[in-house]
């Protein structure tokens, strides 16, 4: 038995995690409702996978040279010495579930979405955490560029619905197993000639993961790669046609895009289309989501050959940016419609009964459960920003009445108890 003796009495959250409190949770609820509705409109069903997976699921798919696998996985051994990981991303476990649950027999395309919690051992900084959330969507069973276009349109649809107006779509094709290897060799040769000018991480990446050097954010590396070979010029005929058809579909959907030859994305399983959507609604550009095509992953994880494409959107950043948009968000209110103040504990039973009736009629109602008296109860009602304070004292009860105070209008009247509901309905105790 481990010794769990408490050494310190100070309890703090673990580094890189955060608490989401009710004031922020209502923004999450709003965003999630938009995400769920959009997913359903585009034909995506929700999938929920376990919080931890066997380590091979990620090592095999995400790639044993990616930062996620080499540096960031929360890897642990359970009591039976199994190697497990807290999921660092969504796609690999969804592919695992797709194969394991024989979803390949379903009519194609199969469309799945998730809203999930992930863990990466990253250096915590603004907007980047060790525990974070993503919404993502995956489309299985079509390699047609029309599916890339439809998936990208879903991204834009969601972000516009949420109120983002100035969106930038960055697009690239990173080729396939036919055209990427010769390009990779050329790139390695180029990068070797620049090794002195690259950051430490990139100089180590040259041989193992040279494409990653292209999207290193370090300005020193960005300067060093000027003149590097460009993937688009090395695409095979099929990849070239795929990329150009995707662009045509986007043009027809009036989705503007920026071809970005340096966009490669960090994960090994991508091929052909990769993309990111950025918002410039708040001045500088912030990436909201990223995705790409992964036509070989399902087969490499034991399923039949199944082309696929997906994306993931970081929800912490989304919520942070949503809060800064100029227009107010349509959020569920946290304030009670009614707060019942009582003279003494003698009115508690009646207060509980009235509150129950009001809640059944969709009025958010709270009670001074500690029976602190009418004056204190009123003060609490005001602090809680209630619309109405209902006051119940011995006098009201003897007359079968309740005194109701409209806290915004500062008006007050006594009415028969049985009139309470019609009164609220008529006074526009509006239900948001
Ligand atoms: P990725 O899974 O790395 O392609 O990232 C997709 C999105 O998830 C990014 O655009 C980020 O917004 C978000 N994201 C990735 N890592 C983190 C993290 N450690 N903390 C918060 N958000 C993250």
């Amino acid at each position: 038995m481990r010794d769990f003796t408490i050494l310190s009495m100070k309890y703090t959250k673990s580094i890189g995690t955060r608490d989401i409190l009710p004031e922020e949770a209502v923004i999450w609820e709003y965003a999630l409702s938009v995400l769920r509705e959009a997913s359903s409109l585009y034909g995506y069903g929700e999938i929920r996978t376990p919080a931890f997976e066997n380590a091979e699921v990620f090592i095999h798919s995400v790639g044993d040279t990616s930062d996620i696998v080499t540096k960031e996985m929360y890897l642990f051994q359970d009591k039976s010495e199994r190697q497990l990981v807290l999921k660092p991303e969504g796609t690999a476990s969804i592919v695992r579930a797709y194969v394991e649950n024989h979803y390949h027999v379903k009519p194609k395309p199969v469309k799945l979405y998730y809203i999930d919690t992930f863990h990466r051992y990253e250096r915590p900084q603004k907007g980047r955490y060790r525990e974070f959330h993503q919404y993502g969507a995956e489309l299985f069973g079509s390699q047609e560029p029309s599916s890339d276009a439809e998936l990208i349109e879903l991204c834009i649809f969601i972000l516009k619905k949420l109120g983002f107006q100035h969106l930038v779509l960055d697009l690239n094709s990173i080729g396939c197993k036919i055209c990427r290897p010769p390009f990779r060799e050329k790139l390695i040769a180029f990068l070797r000639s620049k090794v002195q000018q690259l950051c430490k991480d990139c100089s180590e990446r040259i041989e193992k993961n040279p494409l990653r050097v292209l999207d290193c954010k370090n300005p020193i590396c960005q300067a060093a790669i000027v003149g590097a070979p460009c993937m688009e010029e090395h695409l095979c005929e099929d990849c070239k046609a795929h990329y150009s058809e995707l662009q045509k579909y986007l043009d027809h959907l009036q989705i503007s895009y920026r071809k970005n030859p340096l966009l490669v994305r960090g994960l090994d399983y991508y091929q052909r289309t990769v993309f990111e959507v950025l918002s410039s609604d708040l001045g500088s550009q912030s990436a909201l989501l990223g995705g790409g095509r992964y036509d070989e992953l399902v087969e490499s994880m034991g399923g039949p050959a199944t082309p696929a494409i997906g994306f993931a959107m970081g929800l912490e950043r989304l919520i942070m940016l949503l809060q800064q948009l100029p227009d107010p968000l349509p959020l569920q209110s946290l304030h009670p419609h009614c707060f019942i103040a009582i003279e003494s504990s003698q009115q508690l039973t009646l207060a509980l009964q009235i509150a129950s009736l009001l809640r059944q009629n969709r009025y958010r109602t709270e009670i001074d459960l500690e029976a602190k008296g009418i004056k204190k109860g009123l003060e609490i009602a005001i602090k809680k920003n209630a619309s109405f304070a209902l006051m119940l004292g011995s006098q009201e009860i003897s007359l079968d009445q309740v005194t109701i105070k409209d806290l915004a209008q500062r008006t007050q009247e006594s009415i028969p108890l049985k009139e309470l509901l019609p009164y609220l309905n008529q006074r526009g105790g509006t239900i948001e």
Side-chain angles (χ1 to χ4, degrees):
M1 181 70 182
R2 291 260 286 278
D3 182 7
F4 286 109
T5 314
I6 295 165
L7 297 173
S8 152
M9 288 304 289
K10 199 168 165 223
Y11 301 110
T12 56
K13 58 183 175 296
S14 173
I15 291 173
T17 64
R18 56 194 296 275
D19 301 311
I20 300 171
L21 302 172
E23 293 77 6
E24 189 188 318
V26 288
I27 306 173
W28 284 75
E29 271 315 304
Y30 158 66
L32 297 192
S33 69
V34 172
L35 296 171
R36 289 188 190 284
E37 193 191 355
S39 307
S40 141
L41 288 172
Y42 281 74
Y44 286 76
E46 185 179 5
I47 179 163
R48 299 183 189 202
T49 55
F52 55 86
E53 293 269 5
N54 293 322
E56 304 83 65
V57 170
F58 295 98
I59 295 171
H60 174 79
S61 57
V62 177
D64 51 13
T65 59
S66 66
D67 284 355
I68 293 184
V69 168
T70 52
K71 301 186 203 153
E72 298 170 0
M73 282 209 304
Y74 276 87
L75 185 66
F76 62 99
Q77 235 177 35
D78 71 3
K79 290 183 180 170
S80 311
E81 302 195 351
R82 289 188 190 91
Q83 292 281 326
L84 301 173
V85 279
L86 295 181
K87 282 183 295 187
E89 62 104 47
T91 305
S93 37
I94 288 168
V95 171
R96 196 265 313 135
Y98 176 90
V99 175
E100 200 169 348
N101 293 288
H102 307 291
Y103 254 50
H104 49 84
V105 300
K106 301 249 177 207
K108 308 272 183 329
V110 173
K111 296 173 169 181
L112 300 170
Y113 85 90
Y114 59 90
I115 292 164
D116 211 339
T117 309
F118 299 106
H119 297 87
R120 291 183 197 170
Y121 193 79
E122 288 198 70
R123 195 164 57 82
Q125 44 184 307
K126 196 162 176 268
R128 285 198 100 71
Y129 304 95
R130 290 183 175 174
E131 178 179 85
F132 62 99
H133 301 79
Q134 286 182 341
Y135 159 81
E138 317 284 352
L139 183 154
F140 294 94
S142 167
Q143 62 175 348
E144 290 305 314
S146 53
S147 31
D148 306 43
E150 191 198 65
L151 185 90
I152 290 173
E153 202 220 348
L154 166 63
C155 301
I156 304 291
F157 177 89
I158 288 170
L159 293 173
K160 290 209 163 143
K161 264 254 166 296
L162 287 169
F164 293 97
Q165 289 174 6
H166 305 285
L167 298 170
V168 180
L169 166 64
D170 265 8
L171 198 61
N172 194 17
S173 173
I174 53 171
C176 65
K177 63 179 175 203
I178 294 170
C179 53
R180 196 153 32 155
F183 168 73
R184 197 173 176 274
E185 288 312 310
K186 264 196 172 169
L187 183 62
I188 290 178
F190 173 86
L191 294 173
R192 278 190 195 134
S193 71
K194 302 282 177 181
V195 65
Q196 303 299 339
Q197 298 161 49
L198 298 172
C199 74
K200 186 172 167 290
D201 280 349
C202 282
S203 59
E204 284 165 12
R205 280 178 187 138
I206 294 180
E207 308 296 327
K208 288 193 214 143
N209 199 349
L211 265 73
R212 278 288 280 143
V213 179
L214 295 178
D215 74 355
C216 176
K217 300 290 175 278
N218 189 328
I220 297 174
C221 297
Q222 289 178 350
I225 58 158
V226 172
C230 171
M231 184 71 228
E232 193 177 353
E233 287 159 15
H234 294 78
L235 293 178
C236 61
E237 288 309 312
D238 285 351
C239 287
K240 216 181 271 174
H242 191 276
Y243 193 28
S244 99
E245 271 191 56
L246 168 59
Q247 292 169 47
K248 273 191 214 142
Y249 284 122
L250 293 175
D251 291 338
H252 288 302
L253 288 167
Q254 294 178 328
I255 295 173
S256 49
Y257 52 88
R258 192 168 69 174
K259 288 208 269 175
N260 178 356
L262 300 181
L263 181 68
V264 301
R265 316 241 340 114
L267 316 179
D268 276 7
Y269 51 63
Y270 286 128
Q271 58 183 63
R272 290 199 169 156
T273 311
V274 287
F275 64 96
E276 277 184 4
V277 180
L278 304 95
S279 152
S280 57
D281 282 83
L282 302 158
S284 64
Q285 289 188 348
S286 353
L288 285 168
L289 60 87
R293 179 163 277 289
Y294 51 95
D295 289 346
E296 318 240 312
L297 187 58
V298 176
E299 192 176 11
S300 81
M301 290 183 75
T306 310
I309 179 163
F311 72 88
M313 176 191 288
L315 294 179
E316 275 73 13
R317 179 174 285 185
L318 178 80
I319 301 296
M320 191 173 80
L321 294 178
L322 272 181
Q323 285 170 285
Q324 297 168 29
L325 288 179
D327 291 334
L329 305 171
L331 303 181
Q332 161 85 44
S333 172
L334 287 170
H335 306 140
H337 292 114
C338 299
F339 187 91
I340 306 179
I342 50 180
E343 194 179 275
S344 72
S345 55
Q346 282 182 359
Q347 291 88 39
L348 262 176
T349 308
L350 183 61
L352 284 164
Q353 289 169 328
I354 294 173
S356 172
L357 175 76
L358 294 179
R359 290 166 185 152
Q360 282 167 39
N361 285 276
R362 306 194 62 211
Y363 289 101
R364 293 187 299 275
T365 305
E366 290 192 53
I367 307 172
D368 170 18
L369 291 164
E370 303 214 330
K372 290 194 170 133
I374 298 285
K375 189 162 171 281
K376 267 261 177 281
L378 260 179
E379 283 170 19
I380 305 171
I382 291 166
K383 280 191 192 142
K384 284 191 174 258
N385 223 339
S387 309
F388 297 100
L390 312 184
M391 290 169 272
L392 283 178
S394 45
Q395 198 189 342
E396 278 90 357
I397 290 197
S398 68
L399 297 170
D400 250 347
Q401 286 191 334
V402 56
T403 300
I404 180 161
K405 186 174 177 118
D406 183 325
L407 292 171
Q409 307 288 329
R410 293 168 188 269
T411 55
Q412 175 173 325
E413 57 190 304
S414 294
I415 57 166
L417 251 180
K418 63 176 178 354
E419 295 293 322
L420 178 58
L421 259 183
Y423 177 94
L424 287 172
N425 291 343
Q426 200 195 12
R427 288 291 298 271
T430 41
I431 302 175
E432 320 96 49

